[in-house]
Amino acid sequence: EYVVSVTGNVRQRPPGLENPDLSTGQIEVVAHSAEILNPAKTPPFYINKDAPVDEALRLRYRYLDLRRQRMQRNLVLRHKVVKFIRDFLSEEGFVEVETPILFKSTPEGARDYLVPSRLHPGEFYALPQSPQQLKQLLMVAGYERYFQIARCFRDDDQRGDRQPEYTQLDLEMSFVDREDVMDDIERLYTGIAEHITDKMPLFKPFQRLGYQEAMDRFGTDRPDMRFGMELANISDIAADSEFRVFAETVTKGGLVKGLNAPGCGSYSRKQIDELTDLVKEFGAKGLVWLAVGDGGDVRSPISTFLTEEQMQAIVQRLDGTPGDLLLFVADQPEIANEALSRLRVAMGEHLGQRDPNLLALCWVIDFPFVNWDEEGKRWDPSHHLFTAPMDEDIPLLD
């Protein structure tokens, strides 16, 4: 973009010529003189409006990308969030301590980045995956409340929530129980939402879900709480049906769960096939549907295998009303839950129920300490090994 110096008088724009799309749209400058300070070639993408741009192109011209309003808002928002965290935790008696970046390599869950040492040929420093061991040292040394806006490095394959380097809020508290930790974190997050953004938490105080309750209701331990459409288990009804897929799934230790897509009862075969393809992406064998008619009647490709009482019981279990579409997956629990949780989010997005201006935060507690690895025939930790078991479960450990 050209850099231009303009000298003149600022005045209000004539009535009818205001531009509400600009922050300066109510005024204009009557120029007395103008000087081009620096000419520019045509930029490779729009800077004055938010249009889709290839990420590689954005990174190549990062100095232009950072001029866009959205990027500037993001950087200012990050600054405000970090400042709020520092101020809040300082008031709560936390001490900010910076831990070393060059460190000894330690066996953890991710690969380390290695840095060769010039002074010690053939030896390497590692970049920390997190300050875990170092903050433990601080606890032992008597710093009972520590925090750090920590830089972390992981030489892992990239995925949606992980990249080679990232920043996390890292903190530690001594001589506290779970309620103390949850209270501090909840007040911190609520404060950020109320003071820094225009988004308000939907649940205040945060709703608390046990791990099993979250899996039963949403099929995931990180549920989107901004809308309903909760899952319902109909395994007890399915076990007595003549539909072999349902009955055999329950007999083999699986479950039959479903959700209610309100107002989607008129979906075409093509639309239902698209939903079927979606759940198949996550391991499910297929999707079964029941549509509730205007008179309360039920139509379904499996209606001949269900009695009228069974169909009405299923509709009642999912709070079905005329015009609704009931969708079911029959499979092993982990597959059924994963497929339905993804389907729920997709349907919520499609129906416009995932309001981007709401923050619906919740606590999911009481996770299992270990999970059974069927392939390896062993129990694997469901968390990192610093997580303590519940006191009542300690006698169960070998």
Side-chain angles (χ1 to χ4, degrees):
E1 297 177 299
Y2 275 67
V3 181
V4 181
S5 172
V6 178
T7 302
N9 294 331
V10 179
R11 71 180 184 187
Q12 192 168 8
R13 290 190 176 189
L17 297 180
E18 301 90 345
N19 186 348
D21 297 328
L22 296 177
S23 59
T24 58
Q26 303 298 319
I27 60 174
E28 64 184 8
V29 177
V30 180
H32 299 159
S33 63
E35 178 185 2
I36 297 177
L37 301 179
N38 192 30
K41 297 178 181 180
T42 302
F45 49 80
Y46 288 110
I47 295 174
N48 60 346
K49 62 181 180 180
D50 193 15
V53 184
D54 180 74
E55 186 174 13
L57 188 63
R58 288 175 53 196
L59 293 176
R60 181 179 178 184
Y61 296 96
R62 191 62 162 171
Y63 57 93
L64 296 178
D65 183 45
L66 291 173
R67 291 187 58 156
R68 297 195 298 158
Q69 285 191 1
R70 183 172 70 89
M71 296 300 296
Q72 294 185 355
R73 286 196 302 266
N74 288 347
L75 288 176
V76 171
L77 175 62
R78 176 191 171 93
H79 158 72
K80 291 180 179 179
V81 169
V82 171
K83 182 180 184 302
F84 186 93
I85 290 173
R86 284 197 164 102
D87 293 343
F88 177 89
L89 293 179
S90 296
E91 289 293 323
E92 294 294 319
F94 286 80
V95 177
E96 182 175 10
V97 181
E98 187 177 76
T99 54
I101 293 297
L102 295 177
F103 194 57
K104 175 184 178 181
S105 180
T106 57
E108 294 187 44
R111 298 180 181 88
D112 291 329
Y113 283 107
L114 299 180
V115 181
S117 170
R118 179 183 61 84
L119 297 178
H120 305 281
E123 298 189 23
F124 299 82
Y125 292 105
L127 301 182
Q129 300 171 32
S130 69
Q132 186 69 49
Q133 286 187 310
L134 298 168
K135 71 180 182 183
Q136 296 291 337
L137 291 177
L138 290 169
M139 295 296 102
V140 174
Y143 297 86
E144 297 179 6
R145 290 188 165 218
Y146 140 93
F147 83 95
Q148 181 181 185
I149 311 297
R151 203 68 174 166
C152 303
F153 306 88
R154 302 196 176 190
D155 189 14
D156 280 350
D157 296 335
Q158 294 193 46
R159 57 182 191 264
D161 59 351
R162 188 62 53 82
Q163 56 189 20
E165 58 178 287
Y166 61 97
T167 305
Q168 69 181 29
L169 169 62
D170 199 278
L171 58 84
E172 191 92 4
M173 305 164 66
S174 295
F175 306 112
V176 293
D177 57 28
R178 182 167 73 178
E179 292 301 317
D180 295 320
V181 177
M182 294 172 71
D183 175 67
D184 276 353
I185 296 300
E186 185 166 328
R187 288 188 295 112
L188 171 60
Y189 279 27
T190 301
I192 291 174
E194 292 178 342
H195 294 92
I196 306 301
T197 77
D198 56 358
K199 300 180 181 181
M200 292 291 292
L202 182 60
F203 298 112
K204 182 183 175 181
F206 297 169
Q207 187 170 346
R208 295 191 180 192
L209 303 174
Y211 171 83
Q212 193 57 53
E213 179 186 3
M215 298 302 294
D216 291 342
R217 292 171 57 186
F218 303 102
T220 177
D221 57 14
R222 48 191 185 281
D224 188 336
M225 305 288 289
R226 292 174 294 179
F227 66 103
M229 210 182 300
E230 297 184 13
L231 310 185
N233 193 330
I234 64 163
S235 297
D236 55 330
I237 304 173
D240 294 331
S241 72
E242 294 183 4
F243 186 47
R244 191 174 65 179
V245 173
F246 278 6
E248 288 184 354
T249 297
V250 177
T251 301
K252 294 178 180 178
L255 51 79
V256 183
K257 293 179 73 172
L259 59 83
N260 182 347
C264 298
S266 60
Y267 264 28
S268 66
R269 176 63 181 270
K270 179 182 178 181
Q271 289 173 302
I272 294 178
D273 286 344
E274 290 174 351
L275 299 180
T276 302
D277 292 338
L278 175 64
V279 298
K280 285 183 176 180
E281 289 181 16
F282 302 101
K285 299 181 181 68
L287 190 66
V288 177
W289 59 272
L290 280 75
V292 184
D294 293 337
D297 56 304
V298 180
R299 60 184 179 87
S300 170
I302 66 166
S303 59
T304 56
F305 303 100
L306 301 173
T307 65
E308 182 63 27
E309 291 76 14
Q310 288 172 335
M311 287 193 291
Q312 291 303 323
I314 291 173
V315 172
Q316 185 176 5
R317 181 74 58 87
L318 275 78
D319 297 323
T321 58
D324 291 347
L325 180 66
L326 313 182
L327 302 167
F328 301 93
V329 169
D331 218 308
Q332 293 304 304
E334 60 275 9
I335 296 177
N337 282 324
E338 174 73 8
L340 285 171
S341 70
R342 303 290 185 138
L343 178 62
R344 173 180 176 268
V345 169
M347 293 302 298
E349 185 75 31
H350 173 69
L351 296 175
Q353 297 187 14
R354 303 180 70 207
D355 188 345
N357 295 314
L358 290 178
L359 291 177
L361 307 182
C362 70
W363 290 107
V364 179
I365 58 178
D366 299 334
F367 278 71
F369 185 62
V370 291
N371 291 322
W372 178 251
D373 179 3
E374 183 63 34
E375 184 176 344
K377 302 298 181 184
R378 64 173 184 267
W379 292 100
D380 285 340
S382 65
H383 292 275
H384 59 69
L385 294 178
F386 293 100
T387 303
M390 294 183 177
D391 291 342
E392 60 268 27
D393 291 339
I394 291 178
L396 300 176
L397 300 176
D398 185 356

